Amino acid sequence: MERENLFDGKVALVTGAGRGIGRAEALAFARLGARVVVNDLARGDPPAADLVVEEIRDLGGEAIAASGSVSRAEEAERIVAIAVAAFGRLDFLVNNAGFGRMAPIWDLSEKDWNAVIAVNLTGTFLMCRAAAWAMREQDSGVIINTASEAAHGDTSFSAYMAAKAGVVGLTRGIARDLMRDAIRCNAVTPRAFDTGQTNVAAWESLGAFHDRYGVAMGSPHPMGPIPGTSAEVAEIVAWLCSDRAAAITGRLIVAGCGEVGVWEEPALAHSLIDERGWTVDRLDAVADVLIADAANPFLDLPAEAWAEIDGRHRARLKQGERARAVEAG
């Protein structure tokens, strides 16, 4: 099948598609022949989703906007209903809507915690639930959820980490629930440095940190060899929706910076068995074996490394403050 006709007759719904990675995903599906439903909040004049719809139509594609917050059940259901009413089916759902709030745990407000969980985790759940009804009717479909390598470890980002780790667990559960209906569900950890939230300088900084100290700053895995772009992430997401990726479900995929990969499923590093059951004394006797490779590499970082980490997060905190100011009008 020719690339341009890969998704002929298919319908894709992308949330948070008014800008950044979501916009790139919507455009990629359109270029591959899919009809596209562009979701985002109804902000701006005209709203960002409407502008993306215009871009798709200028490319000769077919698209509609479906504004609304994915964090509310009635709106999530309405967004999916709009897609099915307009195009008669729903083949691909890409849950891209999300945002973060930075703060160390002692300064993280309950309001910010709830907001981050509501959009990133609850919103993903609500959209998946609504889409599952439509996809089960047709015995086919692909769901791609957006996780983050931040879920593996970062500082001053605990709400976002918890939400994205939850997305990974949710993805595994959904894949098992829907596999008998021929519906696949995977999650991606996108790497894009052209979104306005981050840039090439950030990619260079992360690479330099790994080269200098031997550990990645915000993930157990270093960035790839080139600065990732939204377009590259979108290509990987589109491929995951294609029949060539039909064997992949319930997995977490690295996407971007010149790299694509599949994370291993959770597995014990090692374990010890004692048929008598474990006690404090017995655990103490095997402690050297049990914790032999359980050390945290960040504990041994020098002061200058922590200064770099703190500097990065101060900059991101200021960025978050600016975002709040914009939201407040």
Side-chain angles (χ1 to χ4, degrees), residues 269-313:
H270 57 261
S271 67
L272 303 173
I273 303 294
D274 191 320
E275 294 183 356
R276 300 167 297 175
W278 288 103
T279 66
V280 170
D281 290 340
R282 289 171 190 156
L283 288 166
D284 194 49
V286 299
D288 289 344
V289 177
L290 184 62
I291 65 175
D293 56 359
N296 186 330
F298 281 86
L299 294 178
D300 297 323
L301 286 179
E304 57 267 28
W306 281 108
E308 287 192 36
I309 292 172
D310 291 342
R312 174 181 179 236
H313 286 91

Side-chain angles (χ1 to χ4, degrees), residues 19 41-51 54:
R19 56 188 58 79
L41 296 174
R43 291 177 178 169
D45 186 19
D50 290 353
L51 295 176
E54 288 181 16

Side-chain angles (χ1 to χ4, degrees), residues 148-160:
S148 171
E149 285 174 275
H152 300 304
D154 208 339
T155 54
S156 298
F157 227 10
S158 55
Y160 187 75

Side-chain angles (χ1 to χ4, degrees), residues 36-61:
V36 184
V37 181
V38 181
N39 162 260
D40 214 315
L41 296 174
R43 291 177 178 169
D45 186 19
D50 290 353
L51 295 176
V52 176
V53 167
E54 288 181 16
E55 286 187 81
I56 291 171
R57 290 173 178 170
D58 287 344
L59 293 171

Side-chain angles (χ1 to χ4, degrees), residues 20-298:
I21 295 172
R23 169 183 168 273
E25 290 164 340
L27 291 170
F29 279 112
R31 291 189 182 102
L32 292 170
R35 294 167 289 176
V36 184
V37 181
V38 181
N39 162 260
D40 214 315
L41 296 174
R43 291 177 178 169
D45 186 19
D50 290 353
L51 295 176
V52 176
V53 167
E54 288 181 16
E55 286 187 81
I56 291 171
R57 290 173 178 170
D58 287 344
L59 293 171
E62 192 173 352
I64 61 170
S67 63
S69 172
V70 300
S71 65
R72 299 186 180 94
E74 65 277 9
E75 294 196 32
E77 292 167 5
R78 180 180 57 80
I79 292 163
V80 170
I82 288 172
V84 175
F87 299 125
R89 59 186 298 114
L90 178 60
D91 297 284
F92 312 128
L93 167 65
V94 181
N95 283 306
N96 180 73
F99 75 102
R101 285 284 187 257
M102 288 202 66
I105 188 62
W106 58 88
D107 274 341
L108 179 62
S109 71
E110 185 177 0
K111 179 180 178 181
D112 280 350
W113 167 272
N114 288 336
V116 171
I117 297 296
V119 175
N120 292 281
L121 181 53
T122 303
T124 298
F125 151 67
L126 292 172
M127 290 300 302
C128 287
R129 184 178 67 176
W133 284 99
M135 290 178 174
R136 291 181 75 233
E137 286 285 327
Q138 62 198 33
D139 290 320
S140 65
V142 182
I143 298 170
I144 304 294
N145 295 326
T146 303
S148 171
E149 285 174 275
H152 300 304
D154 208 339
T155 54
S156 298
F157 227 10
S158 55
Y160 187 75
M161 288 171 57
K164 293 303 188 180
V167 167
V168 176
L170 177 65
T171 296
R172 293 189 178 109
I174 290 171
R176 285 156 178 79
D177 285 346
L178 296 178
M179 62 176 57
R180 284 175 290 182
D181 296 298
I183 300 166
R184 296 189 289 113
C185 182
N186 290 296
V188 296
T189 57
R191 297 166 165 180
F193 291 85
D194 62 347
T195 64
Q197 298 298 312
T198 187
N199 53 37
V200 174
W203 171 79
E204 292 172 343
S205 175
L206 292 170
F209 186 93
H210 179 266
D211 292 343
R212 190 175 300 119
Y213 302 112
V215 296
M217 186 183 292
S219 167
H221 188 65
M223 292 290 113
I226 59 174
T229 65
S230 298
E232 181 190 20
V233 173
E235 290 283 321
I236 295 169
V237 166
W239 182 83
L240 286 169
C241 289
S242 75
D243 290 342
R244 292 297 299 272
I248 305 174
T249 192
R251 304 306 297 268
L252 180 62
I253 313 296
V254 172
C257 286
E259 182 174 17
V260 63
V262 183
W263 283 94
E264 288 185 352
E265 291 291 271
L268 286 170
H270 57 261
S271 67
L272 303 173
I273 303 294
D274 191 320
E275 294 183 356
R276 300 167 297 175
W278 288 103
T279 66
V280 170
D281 290 340
R282 289 171 190 156
L283 288 166
D284 194 49
V286 299
D288 289 344
V289 177
L290 184 62
I291 65 175
D293 56 359
N296 186 330
F298 281 86

